[in-house]
Amino acid sequence: RSYDCVPDILADMQISSVELVTNNPFKVQQLTDLGVKIDRTRPSLVEPNAFNSLYLRTKASRMAHSLDLDQDSPPPNANLNTEPRLYGPESVRSASAALLQGRAVAMLDR
């Protein structure tokens, strides 16, 4: 992925710094190298389940994503939980608090 347009978009929106929700250290480094001021990073909290366990483990092992994965997390197709959960409650609370303070919030994919 290329984040080359991000500094221009932030400048156009008159946003001087961001609070980034990501587990991806490469994304943080790329944005920093492009001159984006990152005030703080917050993890995107995702609980492993039967649908995403293998995907999350792959993200952690191959792409160095910062994920707190318990060794005992369920293997794929075990204890199927079909309720969608895109963002953890802490991520949502943080985004809501930032919005109430008048700060821009962008929820990015992992």
Side-chain angles (χ1 to χ4, degrees):
R1 291 190 184 161
S2 172
Y3 301 102
D4 292 343
C5 64
V6 171
D8 294 327
I9 292 170
L10 293 176
D12 188 53
M13 297 176 71
Q14 299 179 351
I15 297 172
S16 60
S17 65
V18 297
E19 197 167 296
L20 191 62
V21 179
T22 186
N23 297 323
N24 185 344
F26 183 65
K27 184 181 293 181
V28 174
Q29 185 63 53
Q30 279 191 305
L31 290 170
T32 301
D33 289 349
L34 288 168
V36 174
K37 182 177 181 233
I38 300 174
D39 288 336
R40 180 177 179 185
T41 58
R42 293 180 182 256
S44 178
L45 303 175
V46 180
E47 239 179 86
N49 61 47
F51 296 106
N52 68 11
S53 180
L54 182 60
Y55 171 77
L56 292 175
R57 289 186 184 287
T58 301
K59 289 286 223 178
S61 66
R62 291 188 183 173
M63 296 171 240
H65 281 223
S66 303
L67 296 167
D68 186 19
L69 299 175
D70 185 3
Q71 294 293 353
D72 298 326
S73 63
N77 300 323
N79 301 321
L80 294 179
N81 178 0
T82 58
E83 292 183 36
R85 182 171 179 194
L86 298 177
Y87 296 100
E90 176 59 27
S91 298
V92 173
R93 277 193 295 275
S94 297
S96 298
L99 286 170
L100 288 173
Q101 295 171 359
R103 298 187 66 196
V105 173
M107 301 297 271
L108 303 175
D109 65 295
R110 296 179 261 325

